[in-house]
Amino acid sequence: MGIYVNPGNVLFQMSRFSEIYVDKSMLISKMNRVYRTEKRFVCVSRPRRFGKSMAANMLTAYYSCGCDSSQLFAGLKVCGEAFYKEHLNRHQVIRIDVQRFLDTEKDLDSFLAKMERCIVAELIQEFPECTGLLPDCKLKDVLADIFLQTAKGFVFMIDEWDCVFRIAKNRKEKQKEYMDFLRGLFKDSEYTELAYMTGILPIKKYGEHSALNFFDEYSMVAPKDLGEFFGFTEEEVVMQCVQHQADLAEMQKWYDGYCLGDSHIYNPKSVVDALTWNEFQSYWTGTETYEALKVYLDMNFDGLREAITIMLGNGSCKINTRRFQNDMTSFQTKDDVLTLLIHLGYLTYDKKNGTAQIPNQEIAQEFLNAADGSGWDGLAQALSCSQKLLQSTWEMDGTAVAKGLSAVHNETASMIQYNNENSLTCVVLIAYYSAKAYYLQPVMELPSGKGFADIVYLPKRNVNYPALVIELKWNQSAQGAIRQIREKEYAAWLQAYTGEILLVGINYDKKEKTHQCVIEKYVKN
């Protein structure tokens, strides 16, 4: 048993026998299906705290012939799967935590050589029967020689594979050197039985292509069929809440909301912390601080602040994720910045609709912390007015709502270019920020040109507040907005909703620089 070659199972033992453990062992079955196939190259990218290292430790404990893990896996779901016993502790495993060799930027010039020396030294010790293995040989050559002499292949587990791109953000030559190393190690390698890499970022692109395009990628944007194995599913959280007598509704509000394929995933580390300490709060700052988020929020891309404002108001934004180059510096548009925030876990991505949004209360709090400063002046004040404005809406006090919208507009003038219905939508969503406590995510129909902007707030289950159908106008009239709602039957799709419905017409008069608001009850046919 070595540190890198055929390691033991101690790290997985720590997870397996923790007080809170959720069985993710069916990931093993997925990997067994791609073992020694064309699909044997796997790269999983997830934010910090989403169980990547735990999964790599579990796979290492399962495959490594350097230990006996039969008791560790006893009773887990994978035990009943085909090929489970066939692969259990039967393989030569090379486990690499890249960050172990790359603590700081000063290690960039030596970490690859050091990593190769350490692994080669253990391989020479592990295979004394093989001839011609020298300490200064390249790792790929030593592996090829071992395979040629013994016919034994290797399972590779590489954790934190992308830390080069996070530490050497602006060192393009080091990034390329590292990618060339990985390509040389794996491309067309007969000795590779399975290569499993994890990191925060997907594989770096150069233009439209990746230097490691033979890897299948499973990311926050494209989780494919591995979404349920990283993060906790709804069913898993329900079971933990019952076991620990925790409030499921609060757990949902704080840590749910990550859309991965057909699954809604909870931040696993935050759920564990909440269950452990019996306190719901943001645990995110233990990893990525709000200063790191602030760097991206303050980037000067057209539409970025409006997009963040909409999402802070519980809205969603259309986003093109395809041009993102999978690094932390190659930004061309706001979509590139927002795509990075998806991979970092600050946003979630709905692939069906092509939209991004803030997933939960924990992350919303981090956005508010990061936005508390230069360029975002007035946001906190605008949000503090929200509950009062919402109450005025329920009381059908259009004058008070108009006054509240003007106050929000004034507070956010430095963030939003107030010149069309899109910008009015931003102000309305911020003004109704408090609605997230009572309503589902607003349904929005944003204009494609000189059309209309519709916002619908539907109450959460068991919440006794009216649904809101909001129509926005620019340099027209609030009464005309109400009339359009009625004439075009915007509220008709709510016929099945048995509660009260309020129609809210809002207009902004650019010449007078004032808002008007008219609120009426909707009478169903």
Side-chain angles (χ1 to χ4, degrees):
M1 183 177 75
I3 298 174
Y4 312 107
V5 180
N6 296 329
N9 54 24
V10 173
L11 292 177
F12 181 56
Q13 283 184 44
M14 295 178 184
S15 298
R16 178 69 176 90
F17 297 121
S18 293
E19 180 182 357
I20 299 172
Y21 172 76
V22 174
D23 183 357
K24 297 292 183 179
S25 65
M26 289 301 288
L27 175 63
I28 293 170
S29 182
K30 295 281 187 181
M31 294 303 101
N32 283 345
R33 289 183 186 134
V34 301
Y35 169 79
R36 294 193 70 179
T37 71
E38 293 291 339
K39 295 290 186 179
R40 68 190 185 279
F41 299 100
V42 175
C43 182
V44 176
S45 58
R46 291 291 187 275
R48 291 192 184 282
R49 295 178 161 238
F50 268 70
K52 302 185 302 297
S53 294
M54 191 284 289
N57 294 335
M58 176 183 70
L59 292 171
T60 298
Y62 173 72
Y63 285 113
S64 176
C65 63
C67 55
D68 179 0
S69 300
S70 56
Q71 292 304 309
L72 277 180
F73 288 99
L76 298 186
K77 296 175 184 177
V78 73
C79 291
E81 288 291 294
F83 307 114
Y84 164 70
K85 291 185 177 180
E86 179 179 328
H87 294 288
L88 178 63
N89 300 133
R90 299 289 182 87
H91 298 277
Q92 309 292 327
V93 171
I94 295 179
R95 171 77 156 89
I96 307 171
D97 182 345
V98 177
Q99 198 158 17
R100 188 185 186 113
F101 298 94
L102 194 57
D103 291 329
T104 64
E105 191 171 352
K106 67 181 181 181
D107 298 322
L108 282 170
D109 295 325
S110 60
F111 88 98
L112 277 178
K114 181 179 179 181
M115 185 166 66
E116 287 197 273
R117 284 197 306 271
C118 291
I119 299 170
V120 167
E122 285 198 10
L123 286 169
I124 292 174
Q125 188 175 15
E126 188 76 15
F127 294 92
E129 72 275 19
C130 293
T131 60
L133 306 184
L134 300 175
D136 58 348
C137 286
K138 290 289 186 182
L139 175 59
K140 64 178 181 179
D141 295 332
V142 171
L143 293 169
D145 281 346
I146 292 172
F147 180 75
L148 183 64
Q149 295 182 50
T150 68
K152 291 180 179 179
F154 294 85
V155 171
F156 293 85
M157 295 288 150
I158 302 181
D159 200 11
E160 300 284 358
W161 87 271
D162 62 327
C163 70
V164 174
F165 297 95
R166 291 183 273 121
I167 292 176
K169 292 181 181 180
N170 298 303
R171 299 279 301 273
K172 302 296 183 183
E173 79 285 357
K174 288 300 173 184
Q175 295 178 15
K176 186 177 185 304
E177 179 185 354
Y178 177 58
M179 292 294 280
D180 289 344
F181 165 77
L182 292 176
R183 183 179 177 84
L185 183 63
F186 292 126
K187 180 68 173 175
D188 298 325
S189 58
E190 292 180 300
Y191 53 73
T192 301
E193 298 176 332
L194 175 68
Y196 179 92
M197 299 199 310
T198 72
I200 295 175
L201 296 174
I203 294 173
K204 165 69 178 170
K205 292 180 184 177
Y206 293 94
E208 292 297 319
H209 304 288
S210 164
L212 301 177
N213 56 7
F214 49 91
F215 271 83
D216 281 324
E217 295 199 68
Y218 302 80
S219 70
M220 293 295 282
V221 169
K224 300 174 184 172
D225 61 344
L226 297 188
E228 66 182 286
F229 299 112
F230 301 89
F232 292 166
T233 65
E234 181 80 18
E235 180 182 5
E236 290 165 346
V237 172
V238 169
M239 291 177 62
Q240 291 296 326
C241 285
V242 170
Q243 183 177 342
H244 292 84
Q245 298 181 330
D247 188 330
L248 176 61
E250 282 295 298
M251 199 71 77
Q252 291 171 330
K253 181 177 78 174
W254 276 93
Y255 312 118
D256 189 12
Y258 291 96
C259 186
L260 294 177
D262 295 328
S263 301
H264 269 268
I265 297 296
Y266 292 67
N267 181 324
K269 183 61 166 62
S270 295
V271 170
V272 169
D273 285 348
L275 292 173
T276 300
W277 309 117
N278 194 28
E279 185 175 358
F280 296 101
Q281 63 177 40
S282 175
Y283 294 100
W284 194 260
T285 51
T287 52
E288 297 285 340
T289 64
Y290 74 85
E291 287 92 348
L293 175 58
K294 184 174 176 58
V295 169
Y296 301 111
L297 296 194
D298 287 346
M299 287 186 171
N300 189 26
F301 288 105
D302 186 42
L304 178 59
R305 292 192 175 184
E306 286 84 350
I308 297 297
T309 303
I310 286 174
M311 290 187 286
L312 278 171
N314 205 30
S316 58
C317 292
K318 284 284 186 181
I319 179 175
N320 180 359
T321 64
R322 292 186 296 276
R323 293 181 57 184
F324 181 58
Q325 295 300 300
N326 297 347
D327 63 26
M328 306 182 85
T329 57
S330 304
F331 303 124
Q332 300 295 323
T333 67
K334 70 174 178 62
D335 285 357
D336 294 336
V337 178
L338 297 178
T339 303
L340 174 61
L341 294 181
I342 291 170
H343 291 298
L344 294 177
Y346 288 111
L347 298 175
T348 185
Y349 180 67
D350 186 334
K351 189 173 183 179
K352 293 180 181 177
N353 298 319
T355 56
Q357 67 185 77
I358 296 172
N360 51 48
Q361 183 66 32
E362 180 178 45
I363 302 304
Q365 187 61 55
E366 294 309 305
F367 270 94
L368 293 178
N369 290 340
D372 184 16
S374 175
W376 295 88
D377 294 338
L379 180 60
Q381 292 86 340
L383 296 177
S384 68
C385 301
S386 179
Q387 185 63 42
K388 183 177 179 181
L389 186 140
L390 189 59
Q391 186 66 42
S392 297
T393 304
W394 293 334
E395 295 170 357
M396 300 178 61
D397 187 344
T399 301
V401 170
K403 184 177 179 181
L405 288 170
S406 294
V408 172
H409 169 216
N410 292 335
E411 295 287 359
T412 59
S414 64
M415 295 180 290
I416 301 170
Q417 298 295 320
Y418 213 55
N419 53 19
N420 56 29
E421 288 180 9
N422 269 326
S423 48
L424 178 56
T425 299
C426 292
V427 167
V428 170
L429 289 172
I430 285 295
Y432 283 95
Y433 173 79
S434 293
K436 64 171 60 182
Y438 316 98
Y439 293 87
L440 301 173
Q441 181 187 359
V443 179
M444 301 166 54
E445 294 180 351
L446 296 177
S448 57
K450 294 184 178 179
F452 56 86
D454 230 0
I455 306 174
V456 177
Y457 285 96
L458 192 62
K460 294 179 179 179
R461 188 177 300 176
N462 302 322
V463 173
N464 189 27
Y465 288 104
L468 307 178
V469 179
I470 304 174
E471 177 65 21
L472 308 180
K473 291 294 182 183
W474 190 264
N475 282 333
Q476 297 184 48
S477 72
Q479 193 61 55
I482 292 288
R483 186 166 54 251
Q484 182 170 323
I485 294 175
R486 292 190 178 281
E487 290 177 354
K488 296 200 173 183
E489 300 182 342
Y490 292 156
W493 72 282
L494 293 177
Q495 288 290 346
Y497 173 65
T498 58
E500 187 177 57
I501 302 173
L502 296 182
L503 309 184
V504 183
I506 297 172
N507 177 64
Y508 178 72
D509 188 317
K510 187 175 181 180
K511 183 178 180 180
E512 299 295 330
K513 295 185 178 180
T514 59
H515 296 80
Q516 299 91 38
C517 177
V518 175
I519 304 174
E520 296 181 1
K521 286 185 179 181
Y522 175 68
V523 180
K524 298 180 182 179
N525 295 328

